[in-house]
Amino acid sequence: ANKINSFTANGGTNIQHAFYTAQRTIEQRTNSTNKPVIILMSDGEPTYYYNSVQTVTNQTNRQGNGSGSSGDHVWNTVKQAMHAKNTVN
């Protein structure tokens, strides 16, 4: 509980990158006997996005200003989540 209480929020919410990071972490695990699960906990809507699941690691391709959300923010985040779901086993 102390760790959680120490979290602070600033800037925007990059949910698409969170899905990408979770997928990469699962893919790089050494023990694959357990079924992978991604649980998203967020305090807000996506305020950053990437135009493709292929460009998530490149910060220069990040779109958004950290304070607003649009259909593009949501759609690209959903595409990333679907990609993670279909890629991880």
Side-chain angles (χ1 to χ4, degrees):
N2 290 337
K3 271 289 196 208
I4 292 173
N5 291 335
S6 71
F7 289 162
T8 59
N10 72 19
T13 305
N14 196 337
I15 297 172
Q16 184 177 0
H17 194 270
F19 279 120
Y20 172 81
T21 301
Q23 173 189 336
R24 298 296 298 158
T25 300
I26 291 169
E27 289 173 342
Q28 294 170 1
R29 72 193 188 278
T30 56
N31 180 351
S32 60
T33 57
N34 296 325
K35 183 174 180 166
V37 176
I38 297 173
I39 299 172
L40 171 68
M41 295 183 343
S42 175
D43 66 345
E45 59 194 8
T47 57
Y48 292 109
Y49 70 95
Y50 303 85
N51 288 318
S52 165
V53 297
Q54 307 303 321
T55 61
V56 169
T57 59
N58 186 344
Q59 291 293 321
T60 60
N61 291 332
R62 185 174 73 180
Q63 307 293 315
N65 61 15
S67 64
S69 191
S70 72
D72 287 334
H73 292 78
V74 174
W75 176 238
N76 285 288
T77 299
V78 168
K79 285 195 308 187
Q80 190 72 45
M82 291 173 15
H83 179 72
K85 177 187 177 291
N86 293 330
T87 302
V88 213
N89 359 352

